[in-house]
Amino acid sequence: MANLIGAVTTSHIPAIANAMANKLEETPYWKPFFDGYPPVRKWLNENKPDVIVLFYNDHGLEFFIDKKPTFSIGVADQYQNADEGWGIATIPPVTGESELSWHIANSLVHDGFDMTICQEMKVDHGLTVPLSLMWPGNDYGHVKVIPVCINCEQHPMPQPWRCLELGKSIGKAIESFDSDMTVALFGTGGLSHQLDGERAGIINREFDLECMDKLVTDPEDLTKYSNLDLIEIGGAQAVELNMWIAMRGALRGKVTELHRNYHAPISNTGSGVLLLEHEMPS
Ligand code: DHB
Ligand code: FE
């Protein structure tokens, strides 16, 4: 079976890549944010996962509001970023892992998840910014990435409980893959934030910290929330917590917290970093 060695949660806001491109990491605004990452980079460099299963949401690049898969998965050998209208820098393509992707896709559909399976897929900042952040200089081409995309933009969106179930099914699929490859998970986005409307800029620090605690020790507890609860408590885009919940569902063995950082606000968000080590279930 493939060895699922750990998981990382991280913000994915485009301003991070911009700050790195313009060498702003040590400025007073950005330093408390970037100070959260050296232990995660060190862990990745030491443990060298072959594959990252990356839970993210597409903000309108590949799936616009006219066609919105609830859950989708990429099965390609390579993914391109594209211009989202932000004037973003050109970055290298993302390497895929077709065989494990198909194994997970088959297993998910078998378990009752009606996935949209993407043989081609452009990937947006939700997926690329975390890679640029973990491997500075955009040096992420050696890592194979499996995109798992959850609708967090257009109602109706899958509920937290369903996202946890999706993650559990993905964890099972990784465990049943006949290979000695090592796998890590990324859950991107969050935490409390709202980008427009009357409550734009809302941050709920207490809620963010509670979510981080529960994510480690009692992820099932987070399924007491509906998406509307998350929106009320943490802002319209707090639904991005669903990516973290799905990711956590895939960790079915022993989980140990190795590192955390919380900083808010950064751009319009509360930013949480968690590094979790995972021992495969026996
Ligand atoms: C911001 C937050 C997001 O979740 C996103 O996808 C883009 C931008 C922000 O706060 O800047
Ligand atoms: Fe986002």
Side-chain angles (χ1 to χ4, degrees):
M1 63 189 180
N3 186 10
L4 178 47
I5 58 173
V8 175
T9 67
T10 177
S11 168
H12 64 211
I13 59 173
I16 299 166
N18 185 59
M20 293 177 81
N22 291 294
K23 305 206 180 321
L24 302 176
E25 289 104 315
E26 294 299 316
T27 58
Y29 181 82
W30 283 103
K31 189 168 166 29
F33 170 83
F34 282 104
D35 279 352
Y37 286 89
V40 185
R41 290 175 180 155
K42 182 163 180 280
W43 185 87
L44 288 167
N45 287 330
E46 285 175 2
N47 291 279
K48 298 191 186 354
D50 300 307
V51 180
I52 304 288
V53 178
L54 199 153
F55 296 81
Y56 77 113
N57 59 314
D58 179 284
H59 302 74
L61 177 72
E62 176 67 41
F63 307 122
F64 195 54
I65 51 177
D66 58 337
K67 296 184 193 71
K68 220 29 167 166
T70 301
F71 295 127
S72 49
I73 181 167
V75 293
D77 285 323
Q78 196 182 71
Y79 303 93
Q80 301 285 342
N81 185 233
D83 184 0
E84 300 170 56
W86 297 66
I88 49 173
T90 307
I91 54 169
V94 175
T95 310
E97 166 43 71
S98 184
E99 200 184 337
L100 178 54
S101 293
W102 274 112
H103 175 78
I104 294 173
N106 278 313
S107 179
L108 281 168
V109 175
H110 180 268
D111 279 358
F113 289 91
D114 303 321
M115 306 299 293
T116 296
I117 299 172
C118 302
Q119 300 192 39
E120 287 181 353
M121 192 183 201
K122 289 188 288 298
V123 289
D124 80 356
H125 64 269
L127 183 137
T128 61
V129 166
L131 298 177
S132 303
L133 180 54
M134 301 308 169
W135 289 279
N138 294 317
D139 189 16
Y140 50 71
H142 60 288
V143 186
K144 296 174 177 167
V145 176
I146 298 180
V148 175
C149 186
I150 299 175
N151 171 24
C152 296
E153 300 77 40
Q154 176 86 335
H155 295 281
M157 303 166 184
Q159 297 290 339
W161 70 267
R162 185 66 173 157
C163 295
L164 190 73
E165 294 302 311
L166 176 87
K168 288 181 188 171
S169 179
I170 290 176
K172 250 176 53 189
I174 294 169
E175 287 158 30
S176 68
F177 189 58
D178 188 10
S179 159
D180 58 4
M181 63 173 53
T182 53
V183 180
L185 313 175
F186 284 6
T188 90
L191 282 165
S192 57
H193 66 304
Q194 177 155 336
L195 299 181
D196 51 20
E198 274 175 28
R199 297 200 309 159
I202 181 180
I203 301 282
N204 188 334
R205 174 179 288 265
E206 202 181 321
F207 175 67
D208 289 349
L209 295 175
E210 181 207 318
C211 286
M212 291 177 76
D213 286 342
K214 290 290 181 187
L215 200 87
V216 181
T217 57
D218 187 9
E220 300 281 345
D221 186 66
L222 294 171
T223 64
K224 69 186 177 209
Y225 294 121
S226 68
N227 286 328
L228 284 180
D229 294 333
L230 296 180
I231 289 167
E232 261 171 35
I233 300 168
Q237 277 76 44
V239 179
E240 288 187 351
L241 178 67
N242 281 334
M243 264 85 67
W244 295 30
I245 294 174
M247 182 206 83
R248 181 62 177 86
L251 302 174
R252 295 163 14 105
K254 184 169 171 242
V255 170
T256 309
E257 180 181 329
L258 299 182
H259 167 71
R260 81 161 64 187
N261 188 57
Y262 178 79
H263 176 63
I266 199 77
S267 193
N268 294 300
T269 65
S271 160
V273 184
L274 282 171
L275 172 60
L276 307 177
E277 189 178 58
H278 179 248
E279 278 170 43
M280 293 294 276
S282 43

